[in-house]
Amino acid sequence: MTREKFEVSTKTPRWKCIESRTDSKRLHYSRFILSPLMKGQADTIGIAMRRALLGEVEGTCITRAKFENAPHEYSMIFGVEESVYEILMNLKEIVLRSDLYGTRNASICAKGPEIVTARDIILPPSVEIVDTAQHIASLTKPIDLRIELQIERSRGYRMKTTKDYQDGSFPIDAVSMPVRNANYSIHSFGNEKQEILFLEIWTDGSLTPKEALYEASRNLIDLFIPFLDAEEQDLNFDLEDNQKEFQGRFNKFPFLSYKLHNLIKMERKEALKYIFIDQLGLSRRTYNSLKRSNIHTLSELLYLTYRDLQRMRIDLPVEDIKQILDFLEKHSLFDELKNKNQF
């Protein structure tokens, strides 16, 4: 456990981690402060951050399992001490760490007699298990146990329904919540005109509390980006209208339009440094991937090579690539690319 002393600043608000500890592989704790804040601001930030930490941070979990010769989830498998239902509950407790999106397949192949743990799961390369000692099943006979698994990245809690039973597989409640708990408290100083926000975060080990704080903050900002539009947008449009709307959304940011209209008066390379990726209308997946790799501006994005993208595990969807290229063509910025074919 680490603790740090802190001094209250009376200028620009700053944050700091003042306490951090690892209680177990699946329980990490940190305490942060943000100061100074004007009276009332700490409560505004604390409420929003707690909700974002508990509901907006994505996690990876096992969402489906398929057994051989198991007609229903309360079946008993010969040579296995636990029922299918108990095995499903054990699979639900496994904590995974991954940057994958969509669904991936995994499997368990074990031969008894032995104790089957999370270590026996065969995972895709992009997925890791936080606690490999997590118990799954006990094989009491010399049998082969094979289980096909489905892994998914999402957010929040999704309960299984009767519609989820298909192809002889059993759904598992999706617990995509890396943050186990989050609390905040407020302390006043300076004749109670200023405040200090204390924020406590517990995670399951798939993210550190500091990583969870960063992702929650970024996702919270994303939710408010639409309000930066200079004009209201009509929500009643079809797919083609939607695409046209995104292609023309740049003109609705007054500050961005101002920069683009002044490209002639300044060096283009310099101008690209002032166009941020959150102004390009990229998908949240691409945006988060780029931000995690410290790519903040259009200039930093354009000077990446395909090898750079692979090394950072960033896979740009076709829609986002088209969005970027349309933007460059519209404003005659292709000359600033290090390699025009890098996308």
Side-chain angles (χ1 to χ4, degrees), residues 215-226 228 278 287:
E215 184 172 339
S217 301
R218 184 69 267 172
N219 291 341
L220 195 58
I221 293 172
D222 289 346
L223 292 175
F224 289 97
I225 285 179
L228 296 178
D278 56 4
Y287 176 82

Side-chain angles (χ1 to χ4, degrees), residues 24 29 38 89 96 109 174 249 257 326 330:
S24 67
Y29 168 84
M38 299 301 293
M89 292 300 99
L96 303 174
C109 296
R249 69 177 300 179
S257 298
D326 288 346
K330 180 178 179 180

Side-chain angles (χ1 to χ4, degrees), residues 111-290:
K111 186 176 181 62
E114 71 167 359
I115 303 297
V116 181
T117 64
R119 186 181 291 106
D120 298 303
I121 301 178
I122 303 173
L123 295 167
S126 57
V127 184
E128 299 177 10
I129 297 175
V130 172
D131 184 6
T132 57
Q134 171 66 38
H135 179 79
I136 296 178
S138 300
L139 307 186
T140 59
K141 302 291 183 180
I143 63 168
D144 294 327
L145 177 65
R146 293 184 176 86
I147 308 175
E148 298 178 11
L149 304 175
Q150 179 178 289
I151 297 172
E152 184 177 349
R153 183 178 178 85
S154 183
R155 65 181 59 180
Y157 185 88
R158 187 177 72 244
M159 292 185 62
K160 61 185 179 181
T161 64
T162 54
K163 297 180 180 179
D164 294 330
Y165 290 85
Q166 56 187 15
D167 302 328
S169 61
F170 302 99
I172 302 174
D173 292 343
V175 186
S176 305
M177 301 174 64
V179 178
R180 289 192 171 187
N181 195 12
N183 289 327
Y184 75 94
S185 59
I186 302 170
H187 297 266
S188 300
F189 69 98
N191 295 326
E192 297 189 352
K193 293 182 179 180
Q194 292 182 305
E195 297 176 334
I196 306 173
L197 174 66
F198 288 84
L199 188 63
E200 296 179 290
I201 303 175
W202 291 262
T203 67
D204 62 5
S206 60
L207 290 177
T208 66
K210 185 178 292 186
E211 290 172 335
L213 180 63
Y214 176 83
E215 184 172 339
S217 301
R218 184 69 267 172
N219 291 341
L220 195 58
I221 293 172
D222 289 346
L223 292 175
F224 289 97
I225 285 179
F227 291 107
L228 296 178
D229 271 340
E231 302 176 8
E232 297 181 21
Q233 297 184 17
D234 184 8
L235 299 181
N236 298 318
F237 48 70
D238 56 23
L239 185 60
E240 293 183 359
D241 292 335
N242 188 16
Q243 184 175 6
K244 294 178 182 179
E245 183 74 20
F246 274 109
Q247 290 175 349
R249 69 177 300 179
F250 304 105
N251 296 328
K252 296 187 178 182
F253 288 93
F255 47 89
L256 181 57
S257 298
Y258 171 80
K259 293 170 184 174
L260 293 175
H261 290 322
N262 285 277
L263 283 175
I264 301 176
K265 300 179 181 179
M266 59 192 302
E267 292 291 336
R268 286 180 177 176
K269 289 185 179 180
E270 188 68 21
L272 295 177
K273 297 179 182 179
Y274 295 93
I275 300 175
F276 296 91
I277 62 173
D278 56 4
Q279 300 166 342
L280 301 180
L282 303 176
S283 65
R284 177 172 292 184
R285 168 188 173 183
T286 300
Y287 176 82
N288 289 337
S289 298
L290 292 172

